[in-house]
């Protein structure tokens, strides 16, 4: 009898301890998300070289309108580095849970991310930086960090050659703004590979010179050249304030990079996460080396499609 009582006491004690252990979830990665830690954050991607006359043709018009939509829906901007801090378990998800938050990113690092300009028809181009500065009251930033993030192509030679291939003036794809921008906190600066394995280049840093797809980066030497060497240049130019995330060119996240190279070498290169364009919201169980984004002009093309898309990400939370 005594033995039975003792053993049932031990069983109950063990069960209580196990239950408490299961309940002890400081961060979402340790268990299923709860109501207090559940989040769903859309990450948006724009291209400042997408220039034209209206919302559909021109990402500057589109982003300005989308920010008005986000303001009317009660959204705030979440700095990408904070999203990564949550996904890596450094910040508790309760800081972003049950809130209306969106992240904003730009690809390729052309000058209108930072500088105003003039369209071929003579109208003024508002830089992404200006649009994000003007929208600070309507769509405030939640937590500290840069309001947006520009993924830039590292190699100056590759950018030069691309500008020539597109018959552009030589100042369209320079890096003279990276350092100031990285410090300023409106448009952060991050790695978009060495040369984007862009098809307009004669030679790309891929062993067989395969162009036009980042899925061909599937060996250590190619990954080292495209990602680690790119990071070294970006660190040198943009300085310490650059943001520790890779934007996969074309949004392609090859399994070798996602599952082997980046989890193994990413932290020593200075990378804490990587972004694809998989077209879903970021949630508690998102792989930090394959953070999905929505691309303007691809995942949505009109203001109505934009608000529907944002609403659909709320429904999944
Ligand atoms: Zn790109």
């Amino acid at each position: 009898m005594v033995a039975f009582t003792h053993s049932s006491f031990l069983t109950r004690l063990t069960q209580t301890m196990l239950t408490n252990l299961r309940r002890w979830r400081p961060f979402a990665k340790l268990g299923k998300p709860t109501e207090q830690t559940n989040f769903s954050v859309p990450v948006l991607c724009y291209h400042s070289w997408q220039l034209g006359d209206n919302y559909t043709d021109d990402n500057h018009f589109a982003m300005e309108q989308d920010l008005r939509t986000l303001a009317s829906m009660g959204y705030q901007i979440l700095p990408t580095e904070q999203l990564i801090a949550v996904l890596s378990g450094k910040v508790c998800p309760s800081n972003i849970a049950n809130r209306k938050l969106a992240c904003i990113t730009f690809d390729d690092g052309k000058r209108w991310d930072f500088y105003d300009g003039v369209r071929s028809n003579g109208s003024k181009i508002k830089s992404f930086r200006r649009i994000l500065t003007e929208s600070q009251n309507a769509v405030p930033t939640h937590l500290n960090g840069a309001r947006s993030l520009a993924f830039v192509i590292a190699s100056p030679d590759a950018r030069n050659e691309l500008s020539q291939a597109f018959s552009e003036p030589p100042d369209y794809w320079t890096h003279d703004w990276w350092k100031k921008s990285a410090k300023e906190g409106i448009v952060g600066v991050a790695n978009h590979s060495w040369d984007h394995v862009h098809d307009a280049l004669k030679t790309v840093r891929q062993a067989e010179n395969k162009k036009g797809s980042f899925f061909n980066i599937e060996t250590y030497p190619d990954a080292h050249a495209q990602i680690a060497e790119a990071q070294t240049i970006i660190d040198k130019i943009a300085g310490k304030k650059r943001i520790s995330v890779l934007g996969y060119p074309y949004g392609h996240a090859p399994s070798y990079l996602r599952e082997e190279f980046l989890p193994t070498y990413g932290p020593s290169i200075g990378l804490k996460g990587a972004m694809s364009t998989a077209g879903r919201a970021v949630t508690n169980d998102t792989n930090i080396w394959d953070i999905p984004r929505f691309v303007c002009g691809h995942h949505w093309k009109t203001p109505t499609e934009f608000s529907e898309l944002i609403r659909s990400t709320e429904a999944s939370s």
Side-chain angles (χ1 to χ4, degrees):
M1 188 68 192
V2 171
F4 175 77
T5 309
H6 187 233
S7 95
S8 80
F9 169 73
L10 276 179
T11 308
R12 275 204 314 276
L13 184 68
T14 313
Q15 276 170 350
T16 311
M17 283 166 68
L18 279 173
T19 307
N20 285 343
L21 260 177
R22 267 185 237 118
R23 278 188 192 145
W24 187 75
R25 291 174 191 142
F27 304 149
K29 282 177 124 28
L30 299 177
K32 280 189 177 172
T34 63
E35 256 176 56
Q36 290 74 37
T37 59
N38 214 8
F39 63 87
S40 172
V41 177
V43 181
L44 310 173
C45 170
Y46 298 88
H47 295 89
S48 69
W49 50 260
Q50 195 79 51
L51 294 165
D53 300 326
N54 53 48
Y55 184 104
T56 314
D57 301 337
D58 189 312
N59 275 198
H60 301 258
F61 293 128
M63 190 171 77
E64 203 167 9
Q65 174 59 43
D66 293 345
L67 283 164
R68 283 195 284 268
T69 304
L70 289 174
S72 71
M73 294 171 85
Y75 268 75
Q76 292 186 312
I77 290 177
L78 178 69
T80 307
E81 59 235 75
Q82 294 286 355
L83 181 65
I84 286 172
V86 169
L87 288 172
S88 59
K90 300 265 179 352
V91 166
C92 180
S94 61
N95 286 290
I96 65 168
N98 302 306
R99 286 172 178 272
K100 292 183 170 191
L101 299 170
C103 297
I104 296 189
T105 64
F106 316 131
D107 276 12
D108 306 327
K110 279 210 166 173
R111 64 179 289 111
W112 308 287
D113 286 3
F114 188 81
Y115 292 118
D116 293 334
V118 181
R119 290 183 186 78
S120 51
N121 65 8
S123 68
K124 285 188 179 167
I125 302 167
K126 261 191 199 182
S127 69
F128 284 166
R129 172 193 183 216
R130 178 177 298 279
I131 295 168
L132 279 160
T133 305
E134 288 177 357
S135 63
Q136 282 189 107
N137 288 335
V139 195
T141 312
H142 176 63
L143 304 177
N144 294 326
R147 270 170 83 66
S148 67
L149 175 55
F151 287 114
V152 300
I153 297 174
S155 161
D157 291 341
R159 280 183 271 116
N160 241 332
E161 194 184 327
L162 286 171
S163 269
Q164 282 172 22
F166 301 144
S167 307
E168 293 170 349
D171 64 346
Y172 272 24
W173 225 329
T174 56
H175 52 245
D176 57 342
W177 52 275
W178 292 3
K179 193 162 196 166
K180 187 177 176 195
S181 201
K183 265 189 183 169
E184 192 178 51
I186 302 291
V187 181
V189 173
N191 189 340
H192 198 37
S193 84
W194 179 267
D195 57 20
H196 209 290
V197 288
H198 203 293
D199 5 24
L201 296 170
K202 279 189 209 83
T203 310
V204 296
R205 296 190 74 182
Q206 197 278 347
E208 295 163 52
N209 202 26
K210 284 186 184 167
K211 305 170 195 174
S213 169
F214 214 62
F215 286 123
N216 294 322
I217 305 302
E218 48 191 3
T219 64
Y220 177 84
D222 287 350
H224 190 268
Q226 286 292 345
I227 299 171
E229 292 187 43
Q231 194 63 51
T232 304
I233 289 208
I234 292 165
D235 289 357
K236 223 179 260 174
I237 300 174
K240 284 183 192 153
K241 293 276 188 176
R242 58 95 177 116
I243 295 177
S244 308
V245 57
L246 172 77
Y248 292 108
Y250 311 103
H252 296 166
S255 59
Y256 169 68
L257 297 182
R258 208 180 54 214
E259 282 152 32
E260 287 182 49
F261 183 83
L262 286 168
T264 310
Y265 304 106
S268 62
I269 293 168
L271 290 168
K272 296 175 181 165
M275 294 193 153
S276 67
T277 51
R280 325 182 268 281
V282 178
T283 53
N284 301 65
D285 56 0
T286 291
N287 177 348
I288 199 153
W289 301 112
D290 190 2
I291 300 169
R293 293 182 293 162
F294 296 102
V295 182
C296 180
H298 179 68
H299 294 108
W300 80 95
K301 291 186 174 72
T302 64
T304 309
E305 285 182 8
F306 179 72
S307 46
E308 281 168 6
L309 184 146
I310 296 296
R311 249 178 243 121
S312 74
T313 66
E314 291 171 359
S316 68
S317 68

